[in-house]
Amino acid sequence: MSLSTTIARLLALPLLAGGLSSGLSASEFVVDQDHSAAIFEAGHFGVSHVYGRFPEIAGSLKIESDAAKDAFEITVTAATLTTHQEKRDQHLKGPDFFDVKQFPTLSFRSTAVTAIDDKTLEVSGNLTIHGVTKAVSVKVVKVGEGKVMDSYRVGYETKFEIKRSDFGITTVPNAVVGDEVTIIVAVEGIKK
Amino acid sequence: MLGMIFACTLLPIAGAVLSALAATWLRRGAAGWRARVGWDGALLLLVVAISNLVLVGWPGLPPHDVKFWPPFVAIAGLPVALMASSLGRWPLRIGAFLLLIGAASVVLLVPIYRGESAGTYAKLLSVVIFGWLATRALWSLSARSSSPGASLTALVVVSGASAGAMLLFGTITYAEAVGIIAFAMAVLAVMHWWGGMSRTGGESMVIALTILLPMWWVLGATMSDLPYWTIPLFILAGCSPWLSSLRPFNDMSDAKRILCVAVLALVVVAPALAWGVLESIRQAGHGGSEGY
C-alpha cells in the first residue's frame, strides 16, 4: 500500500523488535529526523521514475514486551517535499498534488501490530495523505539496534505501494504521473 | 450520509425552483418576466456547478477539500442571480448576496487560516468580503453604463485570463474549474451575438460571475501561487465596458466598441499573464526540463 502502510510498518517494527529483544522491551523512542527518511517514487510518462523526499519527519515508537501493545506514530511535514527541481516541487506542493497549505502533514498512526518473525512486523494503521485517511497494513523490517554515542537506538524500514487516486490526488492523468506510488520510510528511533 | 442527503435534496430543490420559475414564466407569458428574472446568470451558475461536480467528483459533506465548495456556493447562489434584476427590493438583493459571499468566504478561508487568531481571521475575512462587494458594485455599474454585449465580452476576457493565470501559476485543478466558467461564458456570448438574446450579459450575468470568479481567485491566492496583485487587475478588466460609454466611443458601431472593450480588458490583464509566462520559463529553466 502507500506511505501510510510504510509508516505503519516502520512503527510496528520496533514493537516486534521489542518483543524479541531485551534492549527494547517496554521502551519509548522518538524519531531522529537526521537519520530518517520518507521517500516516494512515481512514474514519469511510463518511461522512468522520479524520486522525491520529505526531509522533515517526526514521531514516536512505543515498544512493549508484547508486540500487540506497541504503538507507532509518524508525521511528515508536506511542505518540506523536494525532488530537486523547483517547478516540479512547486507543482507537487500545490492543489494538484499534496496541497500542502491545506493539508500540511502526512501521517500514520498504528492501530494493531503483529510479529511475523524476529525481524518483521505486520503493522496496521491509518494513513492520512492529502486529507484522506485510509486503513493500511504494511510489513516493517527491523534494521538493527544498539547503543550509539550516549543513546540507545533502533532502526526500521518499510517499502510499500499506494495509489494516489485512493487519496484524492487525481488531477494529473496517470499517463503523466503514474497512479501507483512506491513509498519508502526509514526511521531511526532514540530511546527516551 | 450527509453527502447522500445533499445529493437527494439540494439538486431536486434547485430543479424545483427552476421549474417553478419556468412554469410561472410560461403561464404569465409576459415579456416583462423575461426581463425581470435573471435566468442567464442562474443558468451559468447551474451549468458551472454541475460541470464542476462532474469534473472533481461528488464530495462528502462537509467537503474535506476546499476546492469542492465552489459548486455548492454556485447552487446556493441561484436565487441570488434569479432575483438580480428587479425581483425584490434592493436591500433584499444585496442582503442575499452579502449572506452568500460571507458564508463562502468563511468556508474558503477556514482551512488556510486554521490556528490563526480570531483577530487575524476577522481582518482577512473583512478584506475578502469588501473586495467581493466592491467587485460586484464596480462590474454592475460598468455593465449598466454600456451595452450587454460589451459587458459580456469583458467578462469573457476576464474569465479566460483568470483560467490562463491559474494554469501559468501552476494549478491545473483551478484552471480547469475557471476554464469551465470561461467556456460557459463564451457559449453565452455566442448566443448573445448570434441569437439576439439581448438580455444576456445583463445584471444577472454580472452577479453570477461575481459569485463564481472571486471564489477561485481567493483559492488561487491562498492555496496556490496566484500573486495577490493579479486580482485587482482582473477586477479592473471587468470594468472595461465603462470605457465604451465615454465620448470618443459614442460614434463607433457596436462591433467596434466591443472590440475596443475586449482589447482594453486584455491590456489590463496582460501583466498578470506575462508574469505567469516569465515565472513558468524561469522555473522550468533547470536543465531544459518541462518541469516533471
Side-chain angles (χ1 to χ4, degrees):
Chain A
M1 287 302 262
S2 63
L3 179 61
S4 58
T5 305
T6 303
I7 293 172
R9 286 181 176 173
L10 284 170
L11 291 172
L13 281 170
L15 288 175
L16 179 59
L20 298 166
S21 164
S22 60
L24 293 181
S25 68
S27 298
E28 287 192 28
F29 295 80
V30 291
V31 170
D32 176 9
Q33 180 176 285
D34 294 340
H35 298 95
S36 300
I39 296 163
F40 63 87
E41 170 200 286
H44 178 234
F45 284 96
V47 172
S48 63
H49 291 118
V50 168
Y51 291 82
R53 180 175 179 173
F54 296 95
E56 194 171 303
I57 305 176
S60 61
L61 320 174
K62 185 181 175 189
I63 300 169
E64 302 284 345
S65 54
D66 178 6
K69 294 179 181 175
D70 291 350
F72 306 95
E73 188 176 338
I74 289 181
T75 301
V76 170
T77 304
T80 62
L81 178 158
T82 177
T83 62
H84 302 289
Q85 212 280 3
E86 185 184 347
K87 184 174 175 60
R88 182 169 57 213
D89 291 352
Q90 183 190 34
H91 195 195
L92 288 171
K93 291 175 189 176
D96 290 341
F97 288 95
F98 290 99
D99 208 351
V100 302
K101 290 181 182 173
Q102 187 174 187
F103 308 114
T105 60
L106 296 76
S107 64
F108 174 82
R109 186 184 292 266
S110 68
T111 54
V113 180
T114 308
I116 295 175
D117 58 39
D118 62 345
K119 280 281 189 181
T120 313
L121 295 172
E122 181 78 25
V123 180
S124 300
N126 293 319
L127 176 66
T128 302
I129 297 175
H130 192 245
V132 177
T133 300
K134 296 277 181 188
V136 297
S137 183
V138 299
K139 287 187 172 58
V140 180
V141 176
K142 179 182 175 184
V143 177
E145 64 175 292
K147 190 168 184 183
V148 179
M149 308 298 280
D150 293 329
S151 58
Y152 195 85
R153 295 171 182 243
V154 291
Y156 299 94
E157 281 188 11
T158 184
K159 181 178 181 179
F160 57 94
E161 197 172 81
I162 61 163
K163 285 188 176 181
R164 62 184 172 92
S165 57
D166 288 343
F167 293 88
I169 304 175
T170 56
T171 301
V172 176
N174 295 346
V176 178
V177 177
D179 191 23
E180 289 80 17
V181 178
T182 301
I183 295 170
I184 298 170
V185 180
V187 295
E188 183 169 302
I190 304 172
K191 192 174 183 180
K192 284 184 179 176
Chain B
M1 177 57 79
L2 200 53
M4 284 182 65
I5 292 170
F6 254 77
C8 295
T9 57
L10 199 58
L11 284 179
I13 288 170
V17 169
L18 285 175
S19 301
L21 284 166
T24 308
W25 184 22
L26 289 171
R27 189 170 61 248
R28 297 199 178 189
W33 265 91
R34 269 170 269 182
R36 290 170 67 193
V37 175
W39 62 270
D40 53 347
L43 181 66
L44 176 69
L45 288 169
L46 195 63
V47 166
V48 167
I50 292 171
S51 302
N52 266 218
L53 289 171
V54 169
L55 178 74
V56 299
W58 189 267
L61 285 170
H64 84 281
D65 189 331
V66 73
K67 76 181 177 198
F68 289 111
W69 275 115
F72 292 113
V73 175
I75 290 170
L78 285 175
V80 178
L82 284 170
M83 63 183 184
S85 300
S86 55
L87 290 178
R89 297 174 182 277
W90 71 265
L92 177 65
R93 298 201 302 269
I94 297 298
F97 183 79
L98 186 60
L99 192 65
L100 180 73
I101 65 162
S105 300
V106 169
V107 296
L108 293 178
L109 294 173
V110 158
I112 193 73
Y113 286 92
R114 194 182 290 131
E116 295 281 352
S117 70
T120 302
Y121 185 62
K123 283 178 197 168
L124 184 81
L125 207 57
S126 305
V127 169
V128 169
I129 291 173
F130 174 79
W132 214 321
L133 285 172
T135 304
R136 171 175 170 170
L138 289 170
W139 286 9
S140 290
L141 288 172
S142 176
R144 283 176 203 160
S145 71
S146 64
S147 67
S151 171
L152 196 53
T153 301
L155 297 179
V156 169
V157 172
V158 173
S159 306
S162 298
M166 294 291 181
L167 191 62
L168 289 168
F169 288 103
T171 308
I172 297 170
T173 310
Y174 297 173
E176 285 175 340
V178 183
I180 287 172
I181 299 170
F183 181 75
M185 287 295 295
V187 170
L188 286 170
V190 170
M191 287 167 67
H192 172 81
W193 292 323
W194 287 358
M197 300 167 75
S198 60
R199 295 295 303 174
T200 308
E203 183 77 359
S204 172
M205 179 65 65
V206 169
I207 288 173
L209 215 58
T210 51
I211 290 170
L212 293 169
L213 282 181
M215 284 194 285
W216 293 107
W217 295 340
V218 167
L219 289 182
T222 56
M223 296 296 176
S224 188
D225 295 307
L226 182 72
Y228 288 96
W229 59 262
T230 62
I231 296 175
L233 296 184
F234 295 137
I235 296 171
L236 278 177
C239 298
S240 57
W242 175 76
L243 178 82
S244 64
S245 65
L246 298 180
R247 183 172 294 174
F249 301 93
N250 283 348
D251 297 333
M252 286 185 175
S253 66
D254 277 353
K256 281 185 181 174
R257 203 178 298 160
I258 286 172
L259 184 64
C260 286
V261 166
V263 170
L264 181 66
L266 276 171
V267 167
V268 173
V269 298
L273 298 176
W275 186 258
V277 169
L278 291 174
E279 276 292 288
S280 195
I281 291 171
R282 184 186 68 77
Q283 290 171 350
H286 303 283
S289 147
E290 290 299 321
Y292 292 94

